Amino acid sequence: MIKTSGEKRRVCVIGAGTAGLCALKNSLEAGLDAVAYERGTEIGGTWIFSDEMPKDEYDEVHSSMYEGLRTNLPKEVMGYPDYSYPDDIAESFITSNQVLEFLRSYAEHFKLRPHIKLQHEVIRVRPRLDDWEVYVWDHSTNSCDPVYYDFVYVCNGHYTEPDIPDVEGLDLFEGEKMHSHLYRKADKFKGERVLIIGAGPSGMDITNHVRVAAQQVFLSHHLSTTPNTAFMGNVTQKPDVQRFTKDGAVFTDGSTESFGHVMFCTGYKYTFPCLSTDVGIQVIDNFVQPLWKHCININHPTMAFVGLPFNVIPTHIFDMQVRFTLKFFTGQRKFPSREQMIADLEQEIQERWGCGVRNQKKAHQMGERQFVYYNELARIAGIENIKPVIHKLMKDCGKKYIFDLDTYRSNKYTIVDDENFLKNGKPIV
Ligand code: FAD
């Protein structure tokens, strides 16, 4: 489609969760004509709690939210750089509902609602010569039409498709098998013996919820440092499962246990069911490629993925990725050549592998690296970096879910200025 001069460039945002709302807001502010399609009936994605279960093996529920969840990051780092949580919330570690309320107020504040189409599912995205063909299924009218866009932001979230390891004997196990994606309430484990596999943020937190109802919980993991479960009387730590049996498992240290339920807290897979193969993106062992700076589709640089990196400060990284990509989408910066983008990607992979992270599954893991990444995005696109206080605060609260799970959520943070914060009323240097 030929654009007349002065005609606004059109942006399609897939999803209206934390990332999609941010992509929408910044695109509109950059003077683009943007629409966010959300397949659900409300905005907020992950933060919407629902105990509805999949109706059959083909059905999918989006959110992994469970009853009683409190955030594992303080709200002081969970706001957007230009829109913070209200000061009248006393706690730093808040409920999922408070996060959802915040996202709704973000949408109201920036007048995003008229640009969001609820119950509209993007079912196919295909590149044409100079734009994108996007098929959108309107659930309310059961109709599906193509719409054409200059740019696409993929913000479909990545906590929906469970990643369950292949463990010997799992088929033999006669008890209940589930993934944390469909965990909702601890009550169902009342008086039961439960094996939880994985000691990441979800595994640790769910163990702490389930142990209250369960008779006994076994927490199987291969962390090199032992999590603090001293306060959880009925939780026993175990190494990896060697094989499952009819009513339990044998662990790699030779011990055996019996239990009626196993819950895999083993993470998720990136999936992009609506992207056609000619979009040129592959997911190999959870490595989404080829992407420049973890977000730009090198094969079609008018498409960006927001929020793939993990072990990050989600809202801040989303906002930076969106502001970074918009500099290119609005023509204020020119993309490097395809060869240069590939070379940058290869160099990063070499650096990662060279640091010992040979696992493709960790290709988008950030942790400490995220601060180097933010610096890079800021430098390349000439955008504002995250504030030093966010970096410092994040350093103070990282990994607390492993060692201080019983106490860390009672900490109260206060941001004083761009550099400084208080923890429980005291300055931290
Ligand atoms: P989502 O919130 O998943 O939103 C994606 C949206 O896209 C959904 O609304 C979905 O319906 C929609 N969608 C998908 N496909 C389509 C399509 N084809 N067409 C139209 N719409 C589509 N982060 C924190 O900062 N602090 C925490 O304490 C924290 N705790 C967490 C606890 C749990 C259990 C989980 C799972 C995650 C947690 N996170 C936390 C991470 C959290 O997911 C991110 O912070 C953030 O909410 C992700 O936003 P998103 O927009 O990328 O994805």
Side-chain angles (χ1 to χ4, degrees):
M1 198 193 343
I2 296 167
K3 291 249 149 17
T4 55
S5 68
E7 194 178 337
K8 279 191 175 181
R9 309 276 276 162
R10 302 195 69 201
V11 179
C12 166
V13 178
I14 306 173
T18 313
L21 293 173
C22 174
L24 177 63
K25 175 250 170 201
N26 283 288
S27 299
L28 292 168
E29 279 187 354
L32 302 171
D33 180 9
V35 177
Y37 293 109
E38 168 52 56
R39 67 182 178 183
T41 52
E42 39 174 330
I43 64 169
T46 290
W47 298 99
I48 301 168
F49 174 85
S50 160
D51 46 18
E52 210 174 288
M53 288 289 119
K55 292 174 202 64
D56 55 45
E57 60 183 303
Y58 305 105
D59 193 22
E60 184 183 270
V61 294
H62 183 81
S63 177
S64 310
M65 198 45 60
Y66 48 86
E67 195 176 72
L69 177 137
R70 281 176 68 201
T71 58
N72 53 36
L73 290 177
K75 71 172 192 305
E76 286 71 23
V77 300
M78 283 183 61
Y80 295 95
D82 55 357
Y83 193 74
S84 316
Y85 277 82
D87 290 336
D88 59 1
I89 304 179
E91 295 79 22
S92 282
F93 295 87
I94 56 179
T95 66
S96 56
N97 249 327
Q98 287 172 308
V99 181
L100 194 54
E101 270 310 309
F102 168 77
L103 293 174
R104 288 177 182 147
S105 75
Y106 179 77
E108 298 311 326
H109 180 81
F110 290 104
K111 303 186 172 43
L112 305 182
R113 291 280 183 182
H115 308 275
I116 301 171
K117 288 182 180 285
L118 297 175
Q119 288 191 278
H120 280 67
E121 181 168 357
V122 174
I123 55 166
R124 188 157 186 262
V125 180
R126 190 179 73 89
R128 302 196 311 170
L129 255 187
D130 60 358
D131 63 6
W132 292 95
E133 183 176 64
V134 178
Y135 275 86
V136 184
W137 173 25
D138 178 347
H139 290 206
S140 58
T141 59
N142 208 14
S143 56
C144 183
D145 294 304
V147 203
Y148 299 93
Y149 290 96
D150 300 295
F151 305 102
V152 175
Y153 275 110
V154 183
C155 305
N156 64 331
H158 47 87
Y159 296 109
T160 300
E161 177 74 28
D163 188 4
I164 298 185
D166 196 10
V167 187
E168 189 186 330
L170 187 56
D171 286 353
L172 300 175
F173 179 64
E174 290 176 354
E176 187 202 28
K177 303 165 217 171
M178 64 181 289
H179 186 273
S180 55
H181 176 50
L182 294 181
Y183 166 69
R184 293 294 179 268
K185 296 177 185 180
D187 301 4
K188 71 174 275 186
F189 300 111
K190 199 166 172 14
E192 298 285 313
R193 290 164 70 83
V194 184
L195 171 68
I196 292 182
I197 299 186
S202 291
M204 289 301 294
D205 197 47
I206 290 175
T207 299
N208 196 20
H209 283 238
V210 169
R211 57 123 182 165
V212 177
Q215 181 207 100
Q216 178 70 44
V217 177
F218 303 100
L219 173 64
S220 162
H221 67 86
H222 47 245
L223 296 180
S224 48
T225 39
T226 311
N228 172 24
T229 53
F231 63 100
M232 305 178 183
N234 55 346
V235 175
T236 308
Q237 293 191 45
K238 290 283 178 186
D240 285 343
V241 172
Q242 190 180 65
R243 65 184 166 84
F244 282 96
T245 59
K246 228 166 65 141
D247 59 355
V250 179
F251 296 87
T252 52
D253 61 358
S255 62
T256 59
E257 299 294 351
S258 62
F259 42 84
H261 308 260
V262 55
M263 185 175 349
F264 289 93
C265 298
T266 43
Y268 294 84
K269 294 178 186 166
Y270 295 107
T271 52
F272 308 101
C274 65
L275 304 187
S276 74
T277 49
D278 38 358
V279 164
I281 289 293
Q282 296 187 67
V283 186
I284 302 171
D285 214 7
N286 244 15
F287 183 5
V288 185
Q289 44 186 308
L291 296 179
W292 185 55
K293 304 295 169 202
H294 297 268
C295 54
I296 292 284
N297 176 353
I298 295 178
N299 286 322
H300 294 280
T302 49
M303 170 178 278
F305 293 72
V306 184
L308 299 186
F310 58 98
N311 290 0
V312 294
I313 321 172
T315 37
H316 285 269
I317 201 165
F318 300 168
D319 200 83
M320 277 209 84
Q321 288 185 321
V322 170
R323 286 184 290 115
F324 172 79
T325 51
L326 278 171
K327 283 282 174 185
F328 297 93
F329 290 177
T330 55
Q332 295 173 69
R333 284 280 189 285
K334 289 240 164 314
F335 280 121
S337 65
R338 182 186 151 77
E339 291 67 33
Q340 185 57 52
M341 290 198 245
I342 296 276
D344 287 354
L345 170 60
E346 279 174 357
Q347 186 187 338
E348 200 205 320
I349 295 168
Q350 286 317 319
E351 279 170 19
R352 278 177 175 267
W353 286 191
C355 293
V357 189
R358 284 177 186 281
N359 187 347
Q360 306 233 73
K361 285 195 171 175
K362 296 192 171 173
H364 300 292
Q365 185 174 37
M366 288 287 174
E368 224 5 74
R369 275 175 170 271
Q370 67 184 301
F371 301 102
V372 177
Y373 179 69
Y374 300 141
N375 292 344
E376 259 196 330
L377 297 191
R379 179 181 52 76
I380 296 171
I383 55 171
E384 202 175 321
N385 205 337
I386 65 162
K387 297 190 169 103
V389 67
I390 301 293
H391 184 169
K392 290 179 191 167
L393 214 156
M394 192 61 190
K395 279 200 153 169
D396 190 77
C397 49
K399 297 265 180 203
K400 292 279 194 279
Y401 68 88
I402 298 182
F403 305 111
D404 301 320
L405 180 62
D406 53 337
T407 53
Y408 82 97
R409 286 191 174 100
S410 58
N411 288 325
K412 165 85 184 86
Y413 293 94
T414 314
I415 291 190
V416 178
D417 55 35
D418 286 357
E419 294 280 340
N420 303 294
F421 69 92
L422 305 177
K423 182 176 178 181
N424 303 323
K426 297 199 183 92
I428 300 289
V429 276

